[in-house]
Amino acid sequence: MARIDLGYLPKENPCAQCGKPIAAPEWIENGPRRTSYLWRCPACGYRFEAVAFFGEPQSDSEALAA
Ligand SMILES: [Zn+2]
């Protein structure tokens, strides 16, 4: 199981189509230097993905592979 850094979890992201705030991403996929967030708007059903890139390598990435 990938650890999720809740401190970086985006919340209330506005829908890309209707602008309504979405409380939390539907799906989160963690990569070595990026995290993908899949958002689905409950109001209009629009789905879109946002990717956060990290410039610095995660210091505990080796621990995740164990
Ligand atoms: Zn929407």
Side-chain angles (χ1 to χ4, degrees):
M1 275 298 190
R3 228 163 36 88
I4 298 171
D5 183 1
L6 290 176
Y8 201 76
L9 182 67
K11 291 176 181 174
E12 302 294 327
N13 197 30
C15 171
Q17 184 164 265
C18 73
K20 209 170 161 67
I22 306 170
E26 183 179 66
W27 176 258
I28 301 171
E29 187 175 320
N30 283 310
R33 291 198 185 185
R34 68 186 181 97
T35 301
S36 303
Y37 304 95
L38 182 67
W39 298 85
R40 187 173 62 84
C41 179
C44 71
Y46 185 71
R47 296 174 74 179
F48 60 101
E49 189 178 325
V51 182
F53 291 95
F54 303 102
E56 301 173 21
Q58 302 289 308
S59 59
D60 57 356
S61 60
E62 289 181 357
L64 293 174

